mmCIF file of all heavy atoms in Angstrom:
data_model
loop_
_atom_site.group_PDB
_atom_site.id
_atom_site.type_symbol
_atom_site.label_atom_id
_atom_site.label_comp_id
_atom_site.label_asym_id
_atom_site.label_seq_id
_atom_site.Cartn_x
_atom_site.Cartn_y
_atom_site.Cartn_z
ATOM 1 N N GLY B 74 35.909 12.356 7.491
ATOM 2 C CA GLY B 74 35.338 11.708 6.313
ATOM 3 C C GLY B 74 34.198 10.776 6.661
ATOM 4 O O GLY B 74 33.742 9.998 5.841
ATOM 5 N N ILE B 75 33.727 10.849 7.924
ATOM 6 C CA ILE B 75 32.610 9.982 8.332
ATOM 7 C C ILE B 75 31.312 10.666 7.907
ATOM 8 O O ILE B 75 31.147 11.869 8.091
ATOM 9 C CB ILE B 75 32.598 9.778 9.864
ATOM 10 C CG1 ILE B 75 33.913 9.129 10.295
ATOM 11 C CG2 ILE B 75 31.407 8.943 10.304
ATOM 12 C CD1 ILE B 75 34.173 9.219 11.777
ATOM 13 N N TRP B 76 30.416 9.877 7.327
ATOM 14 C CA TRP B 76 29.172 10.450 6.856
ATOM 15 C C TRP B 76 28.007 9.995 7.717
ATOM 16 O O TRP B 76 28.074 8.964 8.352
ATOM 17 C CB TRP B 76 28.916 10.072 5.402
ATOM 18 C CG TRP B 76 29.137 8.628 5.130
ATOM 19 C CD1 TRP B 76 30.268 8.066 4.622
ATOM 20 C CD2 TRP B 76 28.243 7.544 5.389
ATOM 21 N NE1 TRP B 76 30.132 6.714 4.539
ATOM 22 C CE2 TRP B 76 28.905 6.356 4.999
ATOM 23 C CE3 TRP B 76 26.954 7.460 5.913
ATOM 24 C CZ2 TRP B 76 28.325 5.107 5.115
ATOM 25 C CZ3 TRP B 76 26.362 6.211 6.027
ATOM 26 C CH2 TRP B 76 27.046 5.052 5.629
ATOM 27 N N HIS B 77 26.974 10.782 7.730
ATOM 28 C CA HIS B 77 25.740 10.402 8.405
ATOM 29 C C HIS B 77 24.613 10.511 7.387
ATOM 30 O O HIS B 77 24.250 11.598 6.994
ATOM 31 C CB HIS B 77 25.459 11.318 9.595
ATOM 32 C CG HIS B 77 26.599 11.372 10.548
ATOM 33 N ND1 HIS B 77 26.846 10.376 11.442
ATOM 34 C CD2 HIS B 77 27.590 12.270 10.701
ATOM 35 C CE1 HIS B 77 27.938 10.677 12.133
ATOM 36 N NE2 HIS B 77 28.419 11.819 11.698
ATOM 37 N N GLY B 78 24.134 9.402 6.942
ATOM 38 C CA GLY B 78 23.096 9.408 5.915
ATOM 39 C C GLY B 78 21.809 8.778 6.400
ATOM 40 O O GLY B 78 21.477 8.858 7.579
ATOM 41 N N PHE B 79 21.120 8.111 5.495
ATOM 42 C CA PHE B 79 19.814 7.530 5.849
ATOM 43 C C PHE B 79 19.867 6.009 5.750
ATOM 44 O O PHE B 79 19.102 5.417 5.014
ATOM 45 C CB PHE B 79 18.715 8.043 4.913
ATOM 46 C CG PHE B 79 18.834 9.481 4.556
ATOM 47 C CD1 PHE B 79 19.062 9.858 3.256
ATOM 48 C CD2 PHE B 79 18.697 10.447 5.521
ATOM 49 C CE1 PHE B 79 19.160 11.178 2.915
ATOM 50 C CE2 PHE B 79 18.793 11.769 5.187
ATOM 51 C CZ PHE B 79 19.027 12.147 3.881
ATOM 52 N N ASP B 80 20.796 5.372 6.458
ATOM 53 C CA ASP B 80 20.859 3.914 6.415
ATOM 54 C C ASP B 80 19.578 3.286 6.908
ATOM 55 O O ASP B 80 19.134 2.267 6.448
ATOM 56 C CB ASP B 80 22.027 3.420 7.278
ATOM 57 C CG ASP B 80 23.307 3.501 6.500
ATOM 58 O OD1 ASP B 80 23.237 3.876 5.329
ATOM 59 O OD2 ASP B 80 24.363 3.203 7.066
ATOM 60 N N GLN B 81 18.980 3.923 7.894
ATOM 61 C CA GLN B 81 17.731 3.431 8.447
ATOM 62 C C GLN B 81 16.885 4.644 8.832
ATOM 63 O O GLN B 81 17.413 5.629 9.331
ATOM 64 C CB GLN B 81 18.034 2.600 9.686
ATOM 65 C CG GLN B 81 16.937 1.626 10.012
ATOM 66 C CD GLN B 81 17.321 0.755 11.189
ATOM 67 O OE1 GLN B 81 18.418 0.845 11.725
ATOM 68 N NE2 GLN B 81 16.405 -0.069 11.614
ATOM 69 N N ILE B 82 15.586 4.532 8.576
ATOM 70 C CA ILE B 82 14.733 5.660 8.974
ATOM 71 C C ILE B 82 14.462 5.532 10.474
ATOM 72 O O ILE B 82 13.860 4.571 10.926
ATOM 73 C CB ILE B 82 13.403 5.657 8.193
ATOM 74 C CG1 ILE B 82 13.681 5.900 6.718
ATOM 75 C CG2 ILE B 82 12.480 6.731 8.703
ATOM 76 C CD1 ILE B 82 12.460 5.894 5.860
ATOM 77 N N CYS B 83 14.980 6.486 11.253
ATOM 78 C CA CYS B 83 14.673 6.510 12.679
ATOM 79 C C CYS B 83 14.383 7.969 13.044
ATOM 80 O O CYS B 83 14.478 8.862 12.202
ATOM 81 C CB CYS B 83 15.827 5.950 13.501
ATOM 82 S SG CYS B 83 17.371 6.777 13.196
ATOM 83 N N LEU B 84 14.020 8.209 14.297
ATOM 84 C CA LEU B 84 13.615 9.565 14.692
ATOM 85 C C LEU B 84 14.743 10.585 14.515
ATOM 86 O O LEU B 84 14.498 11.751 14.246
ATOM 87 C CB LEU B 84 13.136 9.570 16.151
ATOM 88 C CG LEU B 84 11.704 9.073 16.376
ATOM 89 C CD1 LEU B 84 11.381 9.075 17.856
ATOM 90 C CD2 LEU B 84 10.700 9.940 15.634
ATOM 91 N N ASP B 85 16.013 10.115 14.650
ATOM 92 C CA ASP B 85 17.150 11.037 14.543
ATOM 93 C C ASP B 85 17.256 11.676 13.165
ATOM 94 O O ASP B 85 17.626 12.840 13.036
ATOM 95 C CB ASP B 85 18.462 10.288 14.834
ATOM 96 C CG ASP B 85 18.610 10.003 16.306
ATOM 97 O OD1 ASP B 85 17.852 10.618 17.074
ATOM 98 O OD2 ASP B 85 19.464 9.185 16.673
ATOM 99 N N ASN B 86 16.978 10.881 12.129
ATOM 100 C CA ASN B 86 17.194 11.425 10.782
ATOM 101 C C ASN B 86 15.902 11.603 9.983
ATOM 102 O O ASN B 86 15.940 11.674 8.773
ATOM 103 C CB ASN B 86 18.216 10.582 10.012
ATOM 104 C CG ASN B 86 17.784 9.146 9.862
ATOM 105 O OD1 ASN B 86 16.611 8.835 10.047
ATOM 106 N ND2 ASN B 86 18.714 8.284 9.546
ATOM 107 N N ILE B 87 14.767 11.698 10.691
ATOM 108 C CA ILE B 87 13.501 11.829 9.963
ATOM 109 C C ILE B 87 13.386 13.218 9.306
ATOM 110 O O ILE B 87 12.902 13.328 8.176
ATOM 111 C CB ILE B 87 12.284 11.508 10.880
ATOM 112 C CG1 ILE B 87 11.044 11.189 10.052
ATOM 113 C CG2 ILE B 87 11.957 12.618 11.859
ATOM 114 C CD1 ILE B 87 10.997 9.812 9.507
ATOM 115 N N VAL B 88 13.878 14.277 9.987
ATOM 116 C CA VAL B 88 13.798 15.635 9.411
ATOM 117 C C VAL B 88 14.715 15.763 8.187
ATOM 118 O O VAL B 88 14.260 16.196 7.126
ATOM 119 C CB VAL B 88 14.096 16.725 10.472
ATOM 120 C CG1 VAL B 88 14.173 18.095 9.836
ATOM 121 C CG2 VAL B 88 13.021 16.703 11.543
ATOM 122 N N PRO B 89 16.011 15.340 8.284
ATOM 123 C CA PRO B 89 16.844 15.382 7.068
ATOM 124 C C PRO B 89 16.291 14.539 5.934
ATOM 125 O O PRO B 89 16.404 14.914 4.770
ATOM 126 C CB PRO B 89 18.192 14.830 7.543
ATOM 127 C CG PRO B 89 18.199 14.982 8.977
ATOM 128 C CD PRO B 89 16.799 14.940 9.452
ATOM 129 N N PHE B 90 15.673 13.385 6.287
ATOM 130 C CA PHE B 90 15.134 12.518 5.237
ATOM 131 C C PHE B 90 13.968 13.202 4.516
ATOM 132 O O PHE B 90 13.884 13.170 3.290
ATOM 133 C CB PHE B 90 14.674 11.177 5.838
ATOM 134 C CG PHE B 90 14.304 10.164 4.793
ATOM 135 C CD1 PHE B 90 15.288 9.525 4.054
ATOM 136 C CD2 PHE B 90 12.985 9.862 4.539
ATOM 137 C CE1 PHE B 90 14.955 8.591 3.081
ATOM 138 C CE2 PHE B 90 12.631 8.935 3.568
ATOM 139 C CZ PHE B 90 13.631 8.299 2.844
ATOM 140 N N ILE B 91 13.089 13.843 5.294
ATOM 141 C CA ILE B 91 11.956 14.570 4.687
ATOM 142 C C ILE B 91 12.495 15.695 3.794
ATOM 143 O O ILE B 91 12.003 15.929 2.696
ATOM 144 C CB ILE B 91 11.011 15.120 5.784
ATOM 145 C CG1 ILE B 91 10.266 13.954 6.452
ATOM 146 C CG2 ILE B 91 9.997 16.115 5.215
ATOM 147 C CD1 ILE B 91 9.521 14.322 7.695
ATOM 148 N N LEU B 92 13.548 16.353 4.289
ATOM 149 C CA LEU B 92 14.189 17.436 3.534
ATOM 150 C C LEU B 92 14.724 16.912 2.195
ATOM 151 O O LEU B 92 14.542 17.552 1.151
ATOM 152 C CB LEU B 92 15.346 17.978 4.373
ATOM 153 C CG LEU B 92 15.806 19.390 4.107
ATOM 154 C CD1 LEU B 92 14.800 20.356 4.684
ATOM 155 C CD2 LEU B 92 17.156 19.624 4.740
ATOM 156 N N TRP B 93 15.357 15.740 2.239
ATOM 157 C CA TRP B 93 15.916 15.131 1.025
ATOM 158 C C TRP B 93 14.803 14.750 0.048
ATOM 159 O O TRP B 93 14.906 15.003 -1.150
ATOM 160 C CB TRP B 93 16.750 13.895 1.405
ATOM 161 C CG TRP B 93 17.424 13.250 0.238
ATOM 162 C CD1 TRP B 93 18.578 13.650 -0.361
ATOM 163 C CD2 TRP B 93 16.974 12.105 -0.492
ATOM 164 N NE1 TRP B 93 18.876 12.810 -1.414
ATOM 165 C CE2 TRP B 93 17.911 11.857 -1.515
ATOM 166 C CE3 TRP B 93 15.876 11.261 -0.371
ATOM 167 C CZ2 TRP B 93 17.782 10.808 -2.406
ATOM 168 C CZ3 TRP B 93 15.750 10.216 -1.263
ATOM 169 C CH2 TRP B 93 16.696 9.999 -2.267
ATOM 170 N N VAL B 94 13.736 14.132 0.585
ATOM 171 C CA VAL B 94 12.606 13.724 -0.265
ATOM 172 C C VAL B 94 11.963 14.969 -0.892
ATOM 173 O O VAL B 94 11.612 14.967 -2.080
ATOM 174 C CB VAL B 94 11.570 12.913 0.550
ATOM 175 C CG1 VAL B 94 10.296 12.694 -0.251
ATOM 176 C CG2 VAL B 94 12.146 11.567 0.949
ATOM 177 N N LEU B 95 11.854 16.038 -0.103
ATOM 178 C CA LEU B 95 11.281 17.298 -0.612
ATOM 179 C C LEU B 95 12.145 17.858 -1.753
ATOM 180 O O LEU B 95 11.630 18.334 -2.770
ATOM 181 C CB LEU B 95 11.176 18.315 0.536
ATOM 182 C CG LEU B 95 10.364 19.578 0.280
ATOM 183 C CD1 LEU B 95 8.911 19.223 0.000
ATOM 184 C CD2 LEU B 95 10.417 20.508 1.483
ATOM 185 N N PHE B 96 13.466 17.746 -1.589
ATOM 186 C CA PHE B 96 14.373 18.254 -2.622
ATOM 187 C C PHE B 96 14.275 17.414 -3.896
ATOM 188 O O PHE B 96 14.310 17.950 -5.010
ATOM 189 C CB PHE B 96 15.817 18.262 -2.106
ATOM 190 C CG PHE B 96 16.586 19.424 -2.619
ATOM 191 C CD1 PHE B 96 16.554 20.639 -1.952
ATOM 192 C CD2 PHE B 96 17.311 19.347 -3.788
ATOM 193 C CE1 PHE B 96 17.230 21.731 -2.448
ATOM 194 C CE2 PHE B 96 17.995 20.439 -4.288
ATOM 195 C CZ PHE B 96 17.951 21.632 -3.612
ATOM 196 N N LEU B 97 14.103 16.099 -3.705
ATOM 197 C CA LEU B 97 13.906 15.204 -4.858
ATOM 198 C C LEU B 97 12.610 15.576 -5.571
ATOM 199 O O LEU B 97 12.549 15.623 -6.804
ATOM 200 C CB LEU B 97 13.857 13.754 -4.367
ATOM 201 C CG LEU B 97 13.813 12.659 -5.426
ATOM 202 C CD1 LEU B 97 15.101 12.649 -6.233
ATOM 203 C CD2 LEU B 97 13.612 11.301 -4.788
ATOM 204 N N PHE B 98 11.571 15.875 -4.783
ATOM 205 C CA PHE B 98 10.270 16.277 -5.338
ATOM 206 C C PHE B 98 10.414 17.569 -6.156
ATOM 207 O O PHE B 98 9.857 17.686 -7.257
ATOM 208 C CB PHE B 98 9.275 16.463 -4.180
ATOM 209 C CG PHE B 98 7.980 17.118 -4.573
ATOM 210 C CD1 PHE B 98 7.029 16.422 -5.310
ATOM 211 C CD2 PHE B 98 7.714 18.425 -4.216
ATOM 212 C CE1 PHE B 98 5.846 17.034 -5.675
ATOM 213 C CE2 PHE B 98 6.538 19.041 -4.573
ATOM 214 C CZ PHE B 98 5.597 18.345 -5.316
ATOM 215 N N ILE B 99 11.207 18.514 -5.626
ATOM 216 C CA ILE B 99 11.442 19.783 -6.333
ATOM 217 C C ILE B 99 12.101 19.518 -7.693
ATOM 218 O O ILE B 99 11.703 20.076 -8.714
ATOM 219 C CB ILE B 99 12.330 20.713 -5.467
ATOM 220 C CG1 ILE B 99 11.554 21.198 -4.245
ATOM 221 C CG2 ILE B 99 12.835 21.911 -6.268
ATOM 222 C CD1 ILE B 99 12.427 21.790 -3.168
ATOM 223 N N SER B 100 13.104 18.621 -7.690
ATOM 224 C CA SER B 100 13.807 18.293 -8.943
ATOM 225 C C SER B 100 12.851 17.662 -9.943
ATOM 226 O O SER B 100 12.873 18.005 -11.134
ATOM 227 C CB SER B 100 14.953 17.321 -8.675
ATOM 228 O OG SER B 100 15.683 17.732 -7.564
ATOM 229 N N ILE B 101 11.994 16.745 -9.451
ATOM 230 C CA ILE B 101 11.046 16.074 -10.352
ATOM 231 C C ILE B 101 10.032 17.083 -10.894
ATOM 232 O O ILE B 101 9.634 17.006 -12.058
ATOM 233 C CB ILE B 101 10.361 14.893 -9.623
ATOM 234 C CG1 ILE B 101 11.398 13.796 -9.358
ATOM 235 C CG2 ILE B 101 9.215 14.305 -10.444
ATOM 236 C CD1 ILE B 101 10.943 12.710 -8.432
ATOM 237 N N CYS B 102 9.640 18.069 -10.059
ATOM 238 C CA CYS B 102 8.732 19.137 -10.522
ATOM 239 C C CYS B 102 9.353 19.861 -11.719
ATOM 240 O O CYS B 102 8.665 20.171 -12.697
ATOM 241 C CB CYS B 102 8.488 20.156 -9.404
ATOM 242 S SG CYS B 102 7.259 19.646 -8.229
ATOM 243 N N GLY B 103 10.674 20.133 -11.621
ATOM 244 C CA GLY B 103 11.382 20.811 -12.708
ATOM 245 C C GLY B 103 11.377 19.978 -13.983
ATOM 246 O O GLY B 103 11.129 20.488 -15.072
ATOM 247 N N ILE B 104 11.644 18.662 -13.833
ATOM 248 C CA ILE B 104 11.674 17.766 -15.000
ATOM 249 C C ILE B 104 10.271 17.698 -15.623
ATOM 250 O O ILE B 104 10.121 17.742 -16.849
ATOM 251 C CB ILE B 104 12.156 16.344 -14.595
ATOM 252 C CG1 ILE B 104 13.523 16.392 -13.917
ATOM 253 C CG2 ILE B 104 12.163 15.400 -15.794
ATOM 254 C CD1 ILE B 104 14.702 16.723 -14.770
ATOM 255 N N PHE B 105 9.230 17.611 -14.771
ATOM 256 C CA PHE B 105 7.848 17.571 -15.271
ATOM 257 C C PHE B 105 7.477 18.905 -15.944
ATOM 258 O O PHE B 105 6.677 18.918 -16.869
ATOM 259 C CB PHE B 105 6.871 17.290 -14.121
ATOM 260 C CG PHE B 105 6.631 15.815 -13.894
ATOM 261 C CD1 PHE B 105 7.671 14.907 -13.977
ATOM 262 C CD2 PHE B 105 5.381 15.338 -13.600
ATOM 263 C CE1 PHE B 105 7.464 13.552 -13.773
ATOM 264 C CE2 PHE B 105 5.161 13.977 -13.401
ATOM 265 C CZ PHE B 105 6.205 13.092 -13.490
ATOM 266 N N GLY B 106 8.054 19.985 -15.456
ATOM 267 C CA GLY B 106 7.760 21.311 -15.998
ATOM 268 C C GLY B 106 8.343 21.548 -17.382
ATOM 269 O O GLY B 106 8.029 22.543 -18.033
ATOM 270 N N THR B 107 9.190 20.620 -17.861
ATOM 271 C CA THR B 107 9.794 20.803 -19.183
ATOM 272 C C THR B 107 8.808 20.495 -20.313
ATOM 273 O O THR B 107 9.004 20.906 -21.438
ATOM 274 C CB THR B 107 11.001 19.857 -19.365
ATOM 275 O OG1 THR B 107 10.549 18.536 -19.153
ATOM 276 C CG2 THR B 107 12.101 20.171 -18.409
ATOM 277 N N SER B 108 7.749 19.743 -19.985
ATOM 278 C CA SER B 108 6.800 19.294 -21.004
ATOM 279 C C SER B 108 6.141 20.486 -21.710
ATOM 280 O O SER B 108 5.445 21.278 -21.077
ATOM 281 C CB SER B 108 5.748 18.421 -20.328
ATOM 282 O OG SER B 108 4.729 18.138 -21.207
ATOM 283 N N TYR B 109 6.376 20.611 -23.011
ATOM 284 C CA TYR B 109 5.877 21.787 -23.743
ATOM 285 C C TYR B 109 4.431 21.617 -24.186
ATOM 286 O O TYR B 109 3.667 22.566 -24.239
ATOM 287 C CB TYR B 109 6.754 22.055 -24.974
ATOM 288 C CG TYR B 109 6.377 23.339 -25.648
ATOM 289 C CD1 TYR B 109 6.732 24.563 -25.083
ATOM 290 C CD2 TYR B 109 5.643 23.350 -26.823
ATOM 291 C CE1 TYR B 109 6.368 25.749 -25.669
ATOM 292 C CE2 TYR B 109 5.274 24.538 -27.418
ATOM 293 C CZ TYR B 109 5.638 25.729 -26.838
ATOM 294 O OH TYR B 109 5.270 26.905 -27.418
ATOM 295 N N ASN B 110 4.042 20.378 -24.486
ATOM 296 C CA ASN B 110 2.720 20.168 -25.062
ATOM 297 C C ASN B 110 1.609 19.988 -24.032
ATOM 298 O O ASN B 110 0.461 19.815 -24.391
ATOM 299 C CB ASN B 110 2.760 18.945 -25.988
ATOM 300 C CG ASN B 110 3.687 19.184 -27.153
ATOM 301 O OD1 ASN B 110 3.705 20.273 -27.716
ATOM 302 N ND2 ASN B 110 4.495 18.198 -27.493
ATOM 303 N N SER B 111 1.957 19.976 -22.739
ATOM 304 C CA SER B 111 0.923 19.831 -21.709
ATOM 305 C C SER B 111 0.182 21.147 -21.512
ATOM 306 O O SER B 111 0.586 22.190 -22.033
ATOM 307 C CB SER B 111 1.550 19.401 -20.387
ATOM 308 O OG SER B 111 2.111 18.140 -20.521
ATOM 309 N N ASN B 112 -0.892 21.090 -20.721
ATOM 310 C CA ASN B 112 -1.668 22.278 -20.413
ATOM 311 C C ASN B 112 -0.789 23.311 -19.687
ATOM 312 O O ASN B 112 -0.259 23.008 -18.608
ATOM 313 C CB ASN B 112 -2.850 21.837 -19.537
ATOM 314 C CG ASN B 112 -3.743 22.991 -19.150
ATOM 315 O OD1 ASN B 112 -3.648 24.067 -19.725
ATOM 316 N ND2 ASN B 112 -4.605 22.758 -18.191
ATOM 317 N N PRO B 113 -0.615 24.526 -20.220
ATOM 318 C CA PRO B 113 0.295 25.510 -19.611
ATOM 319 C C PRO B 113 -0.060 25.843 -18.168
ATOM 320 O O PRO B 113 0.818 26.035 -17.336
ATOM 321 C CB PRO B 113 0.128 26.742 -20.509
ATOM 322 C CG PRO B 113 -0.401 26.233 -21.774
ATOM 323 C CD PRO B 113 -1.200 25.016 -21.476
ATOM 324 N N ALA B 114 -1.378 25.876 -17.855
ATOM 325 C CA ALA B 114 -1.798 26.210 -16.487
ATOM 326 C C ALA B 114 -1.307 25.151 -15.498
ATOM 327 O O ALA B 114 -0.834 25.479 -14.400
ATOM 328 C CB ALA B 114 -3.319 26.314 -16.441
ATOM 329 N N THR B 115 -1.391 23.880 -15.896
ATOM 330 C CA THR B 115 -0.940 22.779 -15.020
ATOM 331 C C THR B 115 0.572 22.855 -14.807
ATOM 332 O O THR B 115 1.063 22.716 -13.692
ATOM 333 C CB THR B 115 -1.287 21.412 -15.658
ATOM 334 O OG1 THR B 115 -2.622 21.464 -16.131
ATOM 335 C CG2 THR B 115 -1.137 20.276 -14.681
ATOM 336 N N ILE B 116 1.301 23.076 -15.912
ATOM 337 C CA ILE B 116 2.766 23.140 -15.826
ATOM 338 C C ILE B 116 3.188 24.312 -14.936
ATOM 339 O O ILE B 116 4.091 24.198 -14.107
ATOM 340 C CB ILE B 116 3.374 23.284 -17.248
ATOM 341 C CG1 ILE B 116 3.092 22.018 -18.064
ATOM 342 C CG2 ILE B 116 4.864 23.559 -17.206
ATOM 343 C CD1 ILE B 116 3.695 20.748 -17.506
ATOM 344 N N LYS B 117 2.476 25.441 -15.085
ATOM 345 C CA LYS B 117 2.781 26.616 -14.260
ATOM 346 C C LYS B 117 2.568 26.288 -12.783
ATOM 347 O O LYS B 117 3.377 26.650 -11.926
ATOM 348 C CB LYS B 117 1.861 27.770 -14.694
ATOM 349 C CG LYS B 117 2.310 29.121 -14.191
ATOM 350 C CD LYS B 117 1.495 30.201 -14.836
ATOM 351 C CE LYS B 117 1.983 31.557 -14.403
ATOM 352 N NZ LYS B 117 1.309 32.635 -15.094
ATOM 353 N N LYS B 118 1.469 25.555 -12.507
ATOM 354 C CA LYS B 118 1.150 25.170 -11.130
ATOM 355 C C LYS B 118 2.255 24.264 -10.565
ATOM 356 O O LYS B 118 2.712 24.464 -9.439
ATOM 357 C CB LYS B 118 -0.186 24.425 -11.117
ATOM 358 C CG LYS B 118 -1.008 24.669 -9.855
ATOM 359 C CD LYS B 118 -2.295 23.897 -9.876
ATOM 360 C CE LYS B 118 -3.346 24.513 -10.753
ATOM 361 N NZ LYS B 118 -4.563 23.693 -10.865
ATOM 362 N N ILE B 119 2.713 23.285 -11.379
ATOM 363 C CA ILE B 119 3.770 22.352 -10.930
ATOM 364 C C ILE B 119 5.044 23.129 -10.592
ATOM 365 O O ILE B 119 5.672 22.914 -9.560
ATOM 366 C CB ILE B 119 4.056 21.289 -12.026
ATOM 367 C CG1 ILE B 119 2.890 20.315 -12.129
ATOM 368 C CG2 ILE B 119 5.340 20.527 -11.739
ATOM 369 C CD1 ILE B 119 2.984 19.363 -13.315
ATOM 370 N N LEU B 120 5.399 24.085 -11.489
ATOM 371 C CA LEU B 120 6.630 24.858 -11.267
ATOM 372 C C LEU B 120 6.514 25.739 -10.021
ATOM 373 O O LEU B 120 7.473 25.886 -9.261
ATOM 374 C CB LEU B 120 6.945 25.712 -12.496
ATOM 375 C CG LEU B 120 7.466 24.938 -13.704
ATOM 376 C CD1 LEU B 120 7.568 25.831 -14.925
ATOM 377 C CD2 LEU B 120 8.821 24.316 -13.398
ATOM 378 N N LEU B 121 5.326 26.319 -9.797
ATOM 379 C CA LEU B 121 5.138 27.164 -8.615
ATOM 380 C C LEU B 121 5.199 26.330 -7.336
ATOM 381 O O LEU B 121 5.789 26.770 -6.336
ATOM 382 C CB LEU B 121 3.806 27.916 -8.697
ATOM 383 C CG LEU B 121 3.783 29.073 -9.707
ATOM 384 C CD1 LEU B 121 2.402 29.694 -9.774
ATOM 385 C CD2 LEU B 121 4.808 30.145 -9.341
#
Side-chain angles (χ1 to χ4, degrees):
Chain B
I75 300 164
W76 47 263
H77 305 282
F79 321 116
D80 278 357
Q81 203 176 357
I82 295 179
C83 55
L84 280 178
D85 286 346
N86 59 17
I87 199 80
V88 173
F90 189 74
I91 290 169
L92 204 75
W93 183 80
V94 170
L95 192 62
F96 216 87
L97 187 65
F98 169 73
I99 291 164
S100 314
I101 292 169
C102 279
I104 304 289
F105 271 40
T107 56
S108 171
Y109 187 75
N110 296 319
S111 296
N112 180 14
T115 314
I116 294 298
K117 195 171 183 175
K118 214 181 283 175
I119 289 171
L120 287 172
L121 286 177

